[in-house]
Each structure stands twice: as C-alpha cells, then as structure tokens.
Amino acid sequence: MGIRPSVVAHRGASEISPEHTLAAYRKAVELGADALECDIRLTADGHLVCVHDRRIERTSNGKGVLSTMNLDELNEFDWGSWKHPWAELDDEAELPDPDMSRVLTLDRLLAMVRDSGRPIELAIETKHPTRYAGLVERKLIETLDRFGWAHPKLGSESPARVMSFSWLSLRRMRTMAPSLRTVLLMERIPLRFRDGSLPTGVSHAGPSLELVVSHPEYVARAHGHGHQVHVWTVNTPEDVRHCHEIGVDAIISDRPEMAVQTVRALNGVPH
C-alpha cells in the first residue's frame, strides 16, 4: 500500500503544467505522485477526452461546448499556451511540445500509465450533468476494458477508480463493473451519511478539504464503516499535515511535488 496518505496529482502537475495535458501527467509521475486524477467528457464522435469544463474556452484557444465537437475539431486547438502565454513572445522559445498542446484522450493517458514503469493509480472523474448521460460510463468501461482494467481478476485490483459527485453515475459503474472502486465526491455530507456510511455500492468517500477541516471526526467514522477517505484539493503543507494527522487515505493536490515531499517527511522517509 505504500505510505499514507497517497498523493493524487489533480489534473496532472496542474500548478506548473497546463492541466489535463500529457505533459502535466508525465511531470506528475516524474515528481513521484502515486496516482493521477482526470476528468472525462465525451466528444460528439464518441471519444473520451480529459477536459474539466463543459466549454473549451478556459483551457484552449477554441470556443464552444465540448460535447458538440468531434475529436478532430478539438485537435485543431492549442490546449497549453493559456498556461504560459509569454512563451509565444520569446524568440528563443522551443517549438511547442505537442504533449503540452494537444487535447488528451483517455486512451493516451491510460497507455502512458501502463507504460510508466512503476505502479500508478488513476482516479477518473465523470462529469455530470451531460447530454450523454449513461453513455459516458459505458464508454469508460469499454476503454478500461481494452487495458484489462474494467473487470480485474479475483484477488487483484484495477489501478483505476471512478469518482463522481453523481450517485447515479457511480451506480451505473457498479452495475457494469462491480469490482471497480468508486469514490463519492462531496461538498457537504448528506445527513444520512454523517455516520460515515455511504450509498450502497460506493466504496470510498471523497469529501472536500473544507469538510475534513470542519469535521475531522468524519474520517474515523468512514473508516469505521470500512470506507477509505480521499480528500480534495490539498495544496499547502499545513493541509497535508492535517490530513495525515486525521488518517486520510489519499489527498488530491495541484502540487504533487509539495505533497509527496511533505508526506514523506511526515512518514520519516528520506528524500
């Protein structure tokens, strides 16, 4: 299991590289992250891509609603320059790295994880609501299946887990791939789950950092029901320390290097 809490790179090493690009994920692996987090959306021609927003303006130089576009259209846009706009003004700058500027398909991310040379987990978030309700989960199972990760053999565990704020999405996953781990993301804990229980079929709790700062006792309650607790988004050493003290199992961070170093120091592991 390694040392705890494990460090999940939120959208890759997203503080220093453009979020959801292959370059951001490669950087996170290089910095020692235990797992990679991505959001997935479905293109009009049925490809899963790693993009957070419903519209593409914030993270590309294109415009419009992602789900109305084909993958070829999305490939025409630059998905990296928004992060480092000054690079275009630098005559000495190298040519743009395609891994930093291309839209990332889930297939490419899974292949990178498979070929990374060490065990790395994936936390895949399904975004809802979406015009493709239900189809996103089916496509996700198909994609994971190509890597042998949707239905792991008895006694083994898939490196992928699925996260969502939508119970319905997690219920669909449970029906189609019962052995996959699922994480219910929560900005607030519904009254009936404040005892640490979760809806049937959900294996892990995914509270916000604010929740576990206000209610640190929730972690022990969830553990009492046999559930891991994965907290988002943990971006300061103080917050990493708090999560470590209260027994959180995984932290999701935009700053994986800081998080890895802080966790190692807390566990007495030399750099």
Side-chain angles (χ1 to χ4, degrees), residues 246-257:
I246 62 177
V248 164
D249 301 281
I251 55 172
I252 300 170
S253 178
D254 297 321
R255 302 177 62 201
E257 184 173 28

Side-chain angles (χ1 to χ4, degrees), residues 182-200:
T182 51
V183 186
L184 179 63
L185 299 171
M186 297 179 280
E187 285 186 277
R188 58 178 194 82
I189 299 166
L191 200 55
R192 70 173 183 268
F193 298 124
R194 287 188 188 163
D195 64 348
S197 62
L198 288 170
T200 305

Side-chain angles (χ1 to χ4, degrees), residues 140-154:
L140 175 53
I141 298 290
E142 283 171 22
T143 307
L144 289 171
D145 231 357
R146 285 199 287 278
F147 290 80
W149 293 345
H151 305 282
K153 293 186 180 72
L154 201 62

Side-chain angles (χ1 to χ4, degrees), residues 44-120:
D45 55 343
H47 294 274
L48 287 174
V49 291
C50 302
V51 177
H52 179 273
D53 300 358
R54 178 177 163 270
R55 299 185 62 89
I56 67 172
E57 282 84 343
R58 180 177 66 85
T59 55
S60 83
N61 61 354
K63 282 194 172 68
V65 175
L66 185 145
S67 59
T68 65
M69 300 179 186
N70 290 340
L71 181 60
D72 282 350
E73 291 175 76
L74 296 172
N75 271 327
E76 289 173 14
F77 303 127
D78 179 330
W79 294 79
S81 296
W82 64 273
K83 185 77 174 177
H84 303 297
W86 60 87
E88 291 180 11
L89 307 174
D90 181 359
D91 292 338
E92 303 296 312
E94 294 176 20
L95 288 171
D97 175 356
D99 287 352
M100 202 176 274
S101 56
R102 280 182 63 189
V103 70
L104 178 62
T105 62
L106 182 61
D107 261 310
R108 285 187 80 211
L109 179 59
L110 296 182
M112 189 272 280
V113 167
R114 179 196 60 203
D115 300 337
S116 63
R118 69 174 172 93
I120 293 171

